[in-house]
Amino acid sequence: MSARLTVPKTYKLAIGGAFPRSESGRTYEVTTSKGAFLANAAQASRKDARDAVKAARTAQAGWAKATAYNRGQVLYRVAEVLEGRKAQFVDEIVAQQGVSAASAGAQVDEAIDLWVWYAGWCDKYAQVAGNLNPVAGAYFNISAPEPTGVVAIVAPQENALLGLVSVVAPALVAGNAVVVVASERYPLSAISLAEVLATSDLPGGVVNVLTGSPAELAPWLASHADVNALDLAGAGAIDWVDLQITAADTLKRVLAPGEVVASPQRIAAFTEVKTVWHPKSMV
């Protein structure tokens, strides 16, 4: 009998709950830390970015209408599935980054813990970001945060999973939909995370993952009129000031590159505050 051939994994894009190849047909090689071939990743195009934004816009309203408690349950389910596939993520990180299994395991553990932490904020952040404002008069003046809409993200480029989770999870808490450009050098874990999302209870299109060049994709996302906010966490190596200027044409919220710290402020960065007045009494 002939020896069994393994089935190599094909890493595609994640758009609208499906896993298409790039419409351009382009791929690029992902290599190990020593330069050996590891896999082909899809190289997303401008058209792929447009498709991802369209999918995010279609899915966002339904995700935003879910109760805060339900969003927390869904995000916690993602962490459960991540935990169950931990070994796969460890193997991918070891292969891509050339780190030890212990180091890769610590990154996966931290990513799972961070996802759980943000899931817990779903039904709490509004109390922190909102307010009952003092006013001179017989009125209640209440400010409450709402999702800003579609958030385009350039993920941190220096690691495979943790950086991605650190920017995607907080954007989801308030009810936003996401289009994220994964680490160009370490893209494989991003697509595996998209598979986790697709097999959890997160509606298709709420998170869309593009692999390829941030320098190529970010300008199109910055100029897209249907993108409401831009997180440039991983854009430090490209001309991100021009991206800010481009984003200003459509009045986007922009988060500049910098260290990504787990914080409720990162949730609030992608919300809009609605303030309402209500009389205290009819007398």
Side-chain angles (χ1 to χ4, degrees), residues 31 35 55 85 94 155 187 250 256:
T31 60
R85 293 178 61 169
V94 168
T250 48

Side-chain angles (χ1 to χ4, degrees), residues 49-232:
R50 291 204 309 268
D51 290 345
V53 172
K54 182 178 179 180
R57 174 57 63 199
T58 300
Q60 191 273 324
W63 178 238
K65 288 178 181 177
T67 66
Y69 178 72
N70 181 242
R71 285 200 300 272
Q73 287 181 310
V74 171
L75 295 187
Y76 187 81
R77 173 62 181 160
V78 172
E80 290 179 338
V81 180
L82 265 173
E83 186 77 42
R85 293 178 61 169
K86 178 179 174 180
Q88 175 195 345
F89 282 93
V90 170
D91 289 346
E92 286 178 339
I93 292 170
V94 168
Q96 290 174 100
Q97 297 185 224
V99 298
S100 68
S103 176
Q107 183 181 156
V108 177
D109 284 344
E110 190 173 352
I112 294 170
D113 292 347
L114 184 61
W115 199 283
V116 171
W117 190 79
Y118 275 117
W121 273 104
C122 286
D123 58 358
K124 302 174 183 68
Y125 86 95
Q127 292 93 311
V128 175
N131 198 25
L132 177 63
N133 307 306
V135 292
Y139 302 96
F140 291 112
N141 181 262
I142 303 168
S143 295
E146 296 184 346
T148 194
V150 174
V151 180
I153 302 172
V154 179
Q157 301 292 297
E158 65 274 9
N159 57 50
L161 180 64
L162 182 58
L164 183 72
V165 168
S166 70
V167 291
V168 170
L172 298 178
V173 169
N176 296 300
V178 166
V179 176
V180 59
V181 182
S183 169
E184 183 174 15
R185 185 176 180 185
Y186 309 126
L188 307 188
S189 297
I191 299 304
S192 292
L193 178 62
E195 293 172 356
V196 167
L197 300 177
T199 53
S200 65
D201 298 322
L202 193 72
V206 171
V207 176
N208 304 274
V209 181
L210 304 176
T211 55
S213 168
E216 178 183 347
L217 296 170
W220 300 117
L221 293 171
S223 63
H224 199 302
D226 216 18
V227 172
N228 304 107
L230 191 62
D231 185 348
L232 299 177

